[in-house]
Amino acid sequence: MKGDFSKDTFKKKKHFHDVRMQQGRVMLDTDWNEQADITINRIETGTIDIIGDTGAPFHYAGFEIIAVNNTGIPTNPGTNIQISEGRFYVDGMMCENDAGVLFADQPDFDKTLLPTAPGRYIFYLDAWLLHISVLEDPAIREVALGGPDTTTRSKTTWQVKYITVNNTSTCVDALPAAITSQSTGQLKARAELPAGTDNPCGLAAGGGYRRLENQLYRVEIHKGGASRANATFKWSRDNGSVAVKWESIDASNANNLIVSSTGRDELLGFRTGDWIELIDDTTDLLGLPGIMVQLTKVDDNVLTINPGGNTITLSNKNPRIRRWDSSTGEIALNTNNNTWVPLEEGVEVNFKEGTFKTGDYWLIPARTVTADIEWPKDNAGVSLDQPPQGIRHHFAKLAILDLVTGASGIINWVPVSDCRPIFPPLTELVSLYYVGGDGQEAMPGKLLPNTFKVGVANGQWAVSGARVKFEIIAPGAGTLNPVGGIAITNGEGIAECQLTLGTMPPNVNFSLQVKASLLDAAGNISARHLPVIFNASFSMAENVSYKSNCDNWTGTAPDTVAKALDELCERRGQSKGCSYTIGPKGDFKTLLEAIEKLFKKEKDVSLCFMPGDHIMDEEIIMLQKEMSFTTLKITGFAARLTMRKAKKMQLVADKIILQGLSVIANPDNKDKDETQIILSAGETIMDYCSWFKGGTSDSPFIVILKEGLVYLKNNKIIAWFSLILANGVQGIIESNLISYLLLQNGNSFDFKPVPLIWLTTDAKTKIRSNLLQNPNDEIKMTDWSLVIRGNRIGIVLTDVNRAKPHELYQNMIVSENIFQFGANSFAAKYLNIINNQFLFEDPNHKPVVVSYILGFNLVVMGNSSFTAKLHSVPTGLINSIDAIDLSMIVGKGSGPAQILNLVNVIA
């Protein structure tokens, strides 16, 4: 602030609330300015407390970095970059872009060019306050007063810049310290031997401040440096406020500079011998030093200079000339802490070692009545080192983009991540969240046992009277109560809806979904709130309808899955669809013999291992197109099967049922055991089976390969990599003991173990990209659903790092499980993590990340001993919530709405 001020009196640590004027008193510029600083501090501090260090308002979110073509039309990828219209807050300071502008056309960043070297770039915002006087904006002057300027302004100035980074950089990474760090160099000032005098017009005795006028000294860094040995400074007794407009250069003498005036009077004007700085808007906006030259003559409105070897040209960017009172122009800083640099009349300064930037400044009020300066001192009266009073820059990451070279050689910008936190208005923080009712089953035409329940809350307060619309996504699959599916929330903010299943619709995988959406005041579905998705099922156990294509049932065709399975298990003989025994005295000696002899003539086969031990030395590899059954059921409740020499058992059928099997991989193989069970079916049912493989081989033990349904219940699967579900496998995993569960492995035949630290930066970027896909786009979210309930599991990993971009669970419910070890990961568009226990214990009692959770619509509540990294994508925008210890809130909230509110704070 280079205005004609008496001093700067605002001190944040004094906590003044306001300035009060008294009657009959002198009005000072310092009081006016301190009131402005108090107000600004209150507004910007409050803004940070409400929205955080950075953020853009939901309804006018500005500074989006958009890939466009050279005419400014958005396209992905694009050859150019546009900065969108709108507002953005950084450290409480509001930055506003009045209209979308190309990167090179920024109003306060003159023709800055985009990079051309391919690579990854972070675009960031640099904002600060720029001092504006009538020289920069003549409209400030009131012409009715005849010319004098009255006040000055502080302008919020912003520039969008970029830096190149490595390909693993994400929005959570901090900007380099070389950009964001403030100057570390400091300064202290003193008046030599200060001694007061009773005469305000007299000189101080014995030294001190010796001028007859009160002054505000400005000490400013001219050339910055990494140390005080590399920097220079200049000073002004009038806060650098003596400046004039530079009109032109004398055509006959290039050393004659024609100016608008030579100052207001003898004291506030230019004199022969003065040092002046030639500046313009470019030096101000880029933080560059101007050219320092000395005046040799002042004649009317002509300043004659000694160029001193400098080339003097007239800028077209509002050129100006500023007077400094340094006797030698720019001055070297002191090189040790004991050396004081004199300014004039007893005022001395001393710089403390550190870094210095051009424009760093300190203000030193000097007063004649005390013959001293005003400067912070310790209790012994010794001057204290102070950091620069300005200029303070504020920074915020905006976006990450890749600059790539296309097949035709054209360089294009490809957006990777939007780094802007987006915040809604406080009055629109109403949330719709899941309460209960998901994953139910019933017979066709029957009422589901429980209602679907959702909650509506504004922060931690329940919202009563809100309207929620429930819809059945599969047409004709049932009826809702209330009719039309519109329910009103009660006093606890809960809305309920009942569903009566219809007839089993074709081609819906025996399941349907119900969507609950919040309605706005006009009765329309609100686009600001994500829906809650419920799953209901027609299948599983004796309460699920079964439609058979088999024509050789012994009696009436069974109408439930349980009846059909029971009848298949009891059938014997060699006729089509009967049950066969396997063992030394059975229908077939080995499982391989049974499959090879039956697959050509039987499509529905039930096989039963006879009681006792069975040794398997021959591999079973059924090919998808050449060897398969419609139904393949294998049981063995009193049998034990040891895979001794056989390393692989691959079963293929439309439907595979495994019950009561006890399978052990050869324990002699130990760590090198490559034994593998591969199940490829449209529907896989596994009940009361026990699977064991020792060692730490990277080869997965059980792989459920084909896209389809899976029902696993009451099984024990123990192996280093025990169970793998390939892409597209969905269903229910309930009441099992599993040592390692991997979801969505992209290529299970070429399995490579996922590292325990799952959420790498590449994985973050990819999964966020997946979650943000528009369902109407060519690449869309799948409709897969998975329920993991009531299990004891060592580790669960969702292998999104290998999944194809469009293959991601639509819905996942993880409830009432016990997880033994760390590094679990769950990812789905609609994801509920409810009432689980995470038992990981670190022997050194150090904080650890137990699980990673990422979802578009995310509900996490009721879990214990849980430390997690959660990544949520509310309203289609990326936000990160890191290191939240849910064990701190379980059992302390009044209900799920309170817990959910704590989880969904935007960090």
Side-chain angles (χ1 to χ4, degrees), residues 307-338:
N310 296 294
T311 301
I312 307 301
T313 59
L314 183 66
S315 167
N316 60 357
K317 300 295 182 181
N318 190 23
R320 304 178 297 280
I321 295 177
R322 189 179 308 280
R323 190 195 82 186
W324 295 96
D325 297 310
S326 314
S327 59
T328 58
E330 54 179 307
I331 307 172
L333 280 59
N334 51 284
T335 57
N336 61 75
N337 294 336
N338 297 321

Side-chain angles (χ1 to χ4, degrees), residues 283-298:
T283 57
D284 285 349
L285 293 172
L286 298 183
L288 301 174
I291 298 175
M292 296 288 287
V293 294
Q294 191 171 24
L295 292 178
T296 60
K297 182 180 180 182
V298 178

Side-chain angles (χ1 to χ4, degrees), residues 624-693:
Q624 189 76 36
K625 295 182 179 180
E626 300 176 12
M627 298 176 64
S628 66
F629 296 96
T630 301
T631 302
L632 176 61
K633 178 180 179 181
I634 304 175
T635 60
F637 283 94
R640 293 172 299 278
L641 178 61
T642 299
M643 299 179 69
R644 186 171 60 185
K645 295 181 180 180
K647 301 302 182 197
K648 182 169 292 187
M649 179 167 63
Q650 180 172 336
L651 304 179
V652 178
D654 293 343
K655 183 174 183 178
I656 295 177
I657 303 170
L658 304 177
Q659 291 181 320
L661 294 178
S662 180
V663 181
I664 302 174
N666 191 350
D668 294 335
N669 292 331
K670 296 183 179 178
D671 287 353
K672 301 301 182 181
D673 193 350
E674 301 297 323
T675 304
Q676 192 171 62
I677 311 296
I678 299 176
L679 306 177
S680 179
E683 183 177 6
T684 301
I685 299 174
M686 185 189 298
D687 294 325
Y688 294 97
C689 293
S690 176
W691 309 82
F692 177 82
K693 182 174 76 168

Side-chain angles (χ1 to χ4, degrees), residues 129-140:
L129 295 179
L130 183 65
H131 185 240
I132 302 295
S133 68
V134 294
L135 295 180
E136 290 81 22
D137 187 354
I140 296 176

